[in-house]
Amino acid sequence: MEVLGLLKFEVSGTVVTVTLSVALLALLKWYSTSAFSRLEKLGIRHPKPSPFVGNLMFFRQGFWESQLELRERYGPLCGYYLGRRMYVVISEPDMIKEVLVENFSNFSNRMASGLEPKMVTDSVLLLRDRRWEEVRSALMSAFSPEKLNEMTPLISQACGVLVAHLKRYAASRDAFDIQRCYCCYTTDVVASVAFGTQVDSQNAPEDPFVQHCRRVFAFCIPRPLLALILSFPSIMVPLARILPNKNRDELNGFFNTLIRNVIALRDQQAAEERRRDFLQMVLDAQHSMSSVGVEGFDMVTEALSSSECTEDPPQRCRPISTSKPLTVDEIVGQAFLFLVAGHEIITNTLSFITYLLATHPDCQERLLKEVDLFMEKHASEDMAPSRSLPAMCGPSSPSSPSLLAYTMLDWEAEESVELVCGRAPLVPGTGLTAWVRE
């Protein structure tokens, strides 16, 4: 009996602990690689994934450079894993045509991690399905050439402030940070056009709007936390969403309050007294919201021709009335998208252009002559975007070859679909990255 009692103690103690530990390790081992066989089953080439995080380390040198390397090493049809999520990369014209044209209704949704703040999830970037079509259609009216031309004075005003600061720096002949000047300029434009607020971030860096914009771009997820989120998304994402986040709540509260105050002020103003900015265009569209469907979302052709859908539009361009107008949260989301999408891109682009022009005086002189010639030729014309873009970027323009580039677009497959005779069968939830030559 004593031997049986001792044996029972060992079974219930040491043996059980060891057994559970081995089972847990075996389960973690299986979990760490269980999601990384799908691309191989589809016959799609890809880098060898690491346990738990997939190909996260493949992108350690930067996402853009790594994508180029991915295409060079694994071909126009390849894939990778970020965490447990599978991504397929396509750059063949036939596949891109299927995604952008033939099966676009299956790829209208963008990839989302679940950690995006509410202002981003309410923007047209991450709205899904039918609601994306409705909001996207309403925004099309705000981006018409005529409406964009109404916002030109606001942008010109911010340009005037930028030029005044640059002249002072030039007169002092002291070194200065040109990127900071462009950062302030972009902040002023976004504040004026998207949020209906006039700021001078160069002279007033303590302005609340400027301070909160800096907090938006200063946010960074620590790498250990990112690895945990990618490794255990079903646990970490809901946990991160319910845990209190002071920085996130303060940013959401500030931009929401700002937009709501501007809307309340404009409701008290007469129509002719209201600023003609993007926010007002969205407010106008809120009361006359319509939808044209995903097949009618060709803004480039409309902007350059400006005649396709004017007098007698075809059936695909005829708007269909919708029942639900834009909510205030969705209006905040569109304004915030202006800030997120345009701030860093415009700042860096202007900074690099200035650097290249400064280091290539011959190109600087050529550009100056081209701009002067254009202004002389079109001095008496209405400089609407639809008229000025073809003249400046047309085939006869000497600058047009430099505009050719690759654009990377990301979607999420909504339904099962096979691209190009089954070469890339996609299941719902698969991430799709397309490289389009502009």
Side-chain angles (χ1 to χ4, degrees):
M1 293 296 294
E2 294 180 357
V3 174
L4 291 178
L6 181 60
L7 182 60
K8 182 178 180 181
F9 171 78
E10 291 180 351
V11 171
S12 61
T14 304
V15 175
V16 171
T17 301
V18 172
T19 303
L20 291 178
S21 299
V22 172
L24 179 61
L25 291 176
L27 182 62
L28 284 176
K29 173 63 177 177
W30 169 84
Y31 177 84
S32 67
T33 58
S34 61
F36 302 149
S37 60
R38 290 172 291 174
L39 286 175
E40 186 175 356
K41 291 179 180 178
L42 296 175
I44 298 177
R45 300 177 62 193
H46 61 91
K48 183 179 180 181
S50 302
F52 294 107
V53 296
N55 298 119
L56 178 63
M57 298 305 297
F58 183 83
F59 297 94
R60 62 184 179 275
Q61 299 298 331
F63 199 76
W64 179 261
E65 292 80 2
S66 299
Q67 283 281 357
L68 293 175
E69 182 183 354
L70 184 72
R71 292 177 59 250
E72 292 176 358
R73 292 173 57 179
Y74 299 99
L77 174 60
C78 54
Y80 61 92
Y81 297 95
L82 279 184
R84 299 178 63 81
R85 176 167 285 185
M86 177 181 72
Y87 291 80
V88 175
V89 181
I90 62 174
S91 54
E92 290 185 346
D94 292 338
M95 289 189 178
I96 295 175
K97 181 180 178 181
E98 289 191 43
V99 172
L100 295 181
V101 181
E102 299 173 6
N103 292 314
F104 181 70
S105 59
N106 191 35
F107 296 98
S108 61
N109 294 334
R110 291 278 189 159
M111 298 292 296
S113 65
L115 296 175
E116 296 82 6
K118 180 172 174 55
M119 293 181 293
V120 177
T121 57
D122 286 333
S123 71
V124 72
L125 183 68
L126 290 183
L127 287 174
R128 304 179 70 83
D129 304 323
R130 179 63 179 172
R131 190 54 183 167
W132 176 84
E133 293 186 30
E134 295 173 347
V135 175
R136 174 68 172 79
S137 178
L139 294 179
M140 288 177 67
S141 62
F143 284 97
S144 65
E146 294 76 13
K147 297 295 179 64
L148 290 175
N149 199 39
E150 292 183 30
M151 292 182 269
T152 301
L154 301 176
I155 302 176
S156 299
Q157 185 178 3
C159 287
V161 175
L162 172 65
V163 171
H165 289 303
L166 293 179
K167 286 182 177 180
R168 284 200 292 269
Y169 285 124
S172 66
R173 306 188 68 85
D174 293 331
F176 66 98
D177 187 354
I178 188 67
Q179 188 173 28
R180 181 180 179 277
C181 293
Y182 287 141
C183 180
C184 295
Y185 162 72
T186 308
T187 302
D188 295 347
V189 171
V190 172
S192 179
V193 173
F195 290 89
T197 304
Q198 197 72 32
V199 300
D200 184 356
S201 52
Q202 186 80 28
N203 292 327
E206 72 283 352
D207 186 281
F209 183 86
V210 178
Q211 295 288 340
H212 283 81
C213 287
R214 290 176 179 174
R215 291 175 60 182
V216 169
F217 294 102
F219 175 76
C220 181
I221 300 179
R223 290 187 179 183
L225 180 59
L226 177 62
L228 281 175
I229 293 174
L230 292 176
S231 302
F232 305 97
S234 58
I235 299 176
M236 296 301 299
V237 171
L239 185 62
R241 295 176 65 177
I242 63 176
L243 289 177
N245 189 321
K246 182 180 179 181
N247 184 66
R248 177 192 61 194
D249 296 340
E250 288 182 354
L251 290 175
N252 288 342
F254 173 81
F255 288 109
N256 267 280
T257 302
L258 177 63
I259 292 291
R260 292 177 186 273
N261 290 341
V262 173
I263 294 176
L265 177 62
R266 298 194 179 183
D267 287 341
Q268 301 173 2
Q269 296 176 332
E272 60 275 7
E273 297 177 356
R274 298 169 181 169
R275 283 167 51 98
R276 303 307 298 170
D277 52 20
F278 172 77
L279 178 59
Q280 187 59 49
M281 306 301 176
V282 175
L283 291 175
D284 293 340
Q286 183 185 24
H287 303 292
S288 58
M289 197 170 166
S290 60
S291 176
V292 297
V294 296
E295 66 278 2
F297 292 164
D298 190 354
M299 290 299 296
V300 175
T301 302
E302 180 183 354
L304 297 181
S305 63
S306 67
S307 61
E308 181 180 354
C309 302
T310 53
E311 297 181 359
D312 188 18
Q315 186 64 34
R316 72 178 185 88
C317 295
R318 297 181 187 275
I320 303 173
S321 299
T322 56
S323 57
K324 183 181 178 183
L326 269 73
T327 64
V328 177
D329 288 337
E330 288 172 341
I331 295 176
V332 175
Q334 313 322 314
F336 187 75
L337 183 60
F338 247 82
L339 175 64
V340 174
H343 188 276
E344 186 174 358
I345 293 176
I346 296 176
T347 299
N348 291 339
T349 301
L350 292 176
S351 300
F352 279 115
I353 289 176
T354 304
Y355 171 77
L356 292 175
L357 291 176
T359 54
H360 298 79
D362 55 329
C363 295
Q364 185 178 158
E365 291 296 328
R366 181 183 175 189
L367 176 62
L368 182 60
K369 292 179 180 179
E370 187 174 338
V371 171
D372 291 340
L373 179 62
F374 176 83
M375 296 302 297
E376 292 176 4
K377 183 178 179 180
H378 302 276
S380 60
E381 297 183 10
D382 180 16
M383 296 296 293
S386 61
R387 299 181 182 179
S388 59
L389 282 176
M392 296 184 68
C393 304
S396 61
S397 172
S399 302
S400 58
S402 62
L403 299 178
L404 295 177
Y406 285 100
T407 298
M408 187 173 64
L409 306 174
D410 291 304
W411 296 281
E412 176 182 325
E414 183 177 352
E415 299 176 356
S416 297
V417 63
E418 292 188 358
L419 301 180
V420 188
C421 301
R423 286 185 59 195
L426 305 180
V427 298
T430 300
L432 181 68
T433 300
W435 285 77
V436 183
R437 178 74 180 269
E438 293 182 335

